[in-house]
Amino acid sequence: MSAGRTNESASHSGEGIDMNTTATAATAATTPAVKAVQVHKAYGSLHVLKGVDLTVEPGSVTVMLGPSGSGKSTFLRLINQLETLTGGSIEVDGELIGYRHVTKGGRDMLQTLDDREIAAQRAKLGMVFQRFNLFPHMTALENVMEAPIHVKGMAKAQARELALAELERVGLGDRAGHYPAELSGGQQQRVAIARALAMKPDIMLFDEPTSALDPELVGEVLGVMRSLADDGMTMIVVTHEIGFAREVADQIVFMADGVVVEQGGPDIIDNPTEPRFRDFLQHVL
Ligand SMILES: Nc1ncnc2c1ncn2[C@@H]1O[C@H](COP(=O)(O)OP(=O)(O)O)[C@@H](O)[C@H]1O
Ligand SMILES: [Mg+2]
């Protein structure tokens, strides 16, 4: 394990390489919100991600599509450091995550960050899952107040004010005193979004946020996500909602078998080039 985590990084450690890439890119002025380079992930002998490259610009929406088992959740979990990389690198806001470069015996090596450093990096990211995982014994308001108080040490009165504002933002200002069991699935997922927003993340990751919902509740959650996008939030969204992808995404990424098969603007949904992407779209549309 530890051998795998202290990788030699000669292939992408040179400052000259990074600067070249930046200088020739069309958007040379901005630091990507997320930059994944040749990301690999294996669970034992199961090679799940096989060299994924992805760049996400600040304020943009990336929608990841792909069949079940293609590695989409694993990729989001790597960005959020719920898993550790087997190979490659990920930068968030221009900062390498999970590791720092150190020079040992004249060689550039990667050293694992400590828990506090990783927690600070993870605080830049908010994540919303298919299952909302709200605390059942806490009201919507208390669920949203929880992390600002216990993770950030925010005063209770301030956390309450913040939580109310975030619940308003997801259209649930009038449900603050309700317990999860008293809310619909769509409302619970909106509380989960408010809970993530209360930590003031730079980037929001959504992993199939509407897949567990009854069809009539999907729209209200997508509506909240759309308004977040309109507000300029940087978002990576794994979803099968093709309409949302077409209307809201700046970038579409189609993954299959641990690789990016096709990537482009939302227009690729209507004009896929790769047969595997075309097949996938025929099944979900
Ligand atoms: N913790 C884990 N241990 C072992 N295998 C895993 C683990 N998490 C995911 N996998 C496997 O990795 C593959 C990709 O899973 P996942 O990233 O969840 O795909 P997707 O989100 O695209 O459906 C699947 O074969 C899955 O079984
Ligand atoms: Mg998944």
Side-chain angles (χ1 to χ4, degrees):
M1 271 295 187
S2 60
R5 292 168 68 172
T6 311
N7 298 330
E8 259 184 79
S9 61
S11 62
H12 50 268
S13 63
E15 277 176 30
I17 293 170
D18 277 343
M19 288 171 74
N20 267 339
T21 309
T22 309
T24 53
T27 51
T30 51
T31 303
V34 177
K35 184 179 175 188
V37 178
Q38 282 302 300
V39 164
H40 285 256
K41 179 64 184 177
Y43 294 105
S45 62
L46 183 66
H47 204 164
V48 174
L49 295 179
K50 304 165 184 166
V52 174
D53 293 324
L54 180 71
T55 300
V56 174
E57 297 301 335
S60 72
V61 177
T62 296
V63 168
M64 300 187 71
L65 304 171
S68 177
S70 54
K72 306 178 299 295
S73 295
T74 300
F75 186 67
L76 290 190
R77 291 169 59 80
L78 284 167
I79 295 172
N80 202 19
Q81 300 196 60
L82 296 168
E83 303 281 355
T84 53
L85 289 163
T86 309
S89 67
I90 300 175
E91 289 177 11
V92 172
D93 291 339
E95 189 179 309
L96 190 65
I97 62 163
Y99 305 91
R100 72 164 60 80
H101 287 283
V102 291
T103 306
K104 272 186 192 160
R107 305 180 83 173
D108 187 28
M109 307 283 285
L110 290 176
Q111 184 182 65
T112 310
L113 299 182
D114 66 32
D115 290 350
R116 275 182 56 139
E117 292 168 321
I118 287 171
Q121 291 186 330
R122 293 193 62 216
K124 291 181 181 171
L125 299 145
M127 191 153 177
V128 174
F129 301 89
Q130 184 173 336
R131 293 265 156 222
F132 344 114
N133 300 318
L134 299 175
F135 292 114
H137 60 289
M138 290 184 186
T139 63
L141 184 71
E142 289 164 347
N143 267 282
V144 180
M145 289 169 64
E146 224 274 332
I149 291 173
H150 289 104
V151 180
K152 285 192 172 169
M154 190 179 284
K156 213 169 173 183
Q158 194 190 346
R160 174 181 296 270
E161 201 174 312
L162 167 68
L164 274 172
E166 297 302 349
L167 285 171
E168 287 285 352
R169 191 170 173 186
V170 301
L172 291 173
D174 60 341
R175 295 289 189 278
H178 287 60
Y179 288 89
E182 301 168 336
L183 299 170
S184 72
Q187 290 171 334
Q188 290 182 58
Q189 188 61 301
R190 285 149 68 197
V191 174
I193 294 171
R195 178 179 57 181
L197 292 173
M199 294 299 278
K200 300 295 175 194
D202 294 341
I203 301 162
M204 287 283 287
L205 309 175
F206 292 88
D207 194 356
E208 299 203 33
T210 61
S211 294
L213 299 176
D214 292 335
E216 71 271 23
L217 303 177
V218 168
E220 65 188 69
V221 173
L222 294 180
V224 166
M225 292 166 62
R226 187 179 314 227
S227 76
L228 271 182
D230 289 344
D231 287 348
M233 176 63 79
T234 308
M235 297 167 42
I236 305 179
V237 183
V238 173
T239 185
H240 297 295
E241 295 293 332
I242 299 298
F244 176 86
R246 193 190 273 118
E247 288 163 35
V248 181
D250 299 293
Q251 170 172 238
I252 304 283
V253 176
F254 173 70
M255 274 184 65
D257 294 330
V259 295
V260 174
V261 172
E262 189 164 347
Q263 187 174 3
D267 51 297
I268 66 170
I269 290 172
D270 297 306
N271 295 294
T273 40
E274 294 296 327
R276 269 201 287 185
F277 188 28
R278 215 175 302 148
D279 282 354
F280 173 82
L281 287 167
Q282 269 165 10
H283 283 99
V284 293
L285 281 175

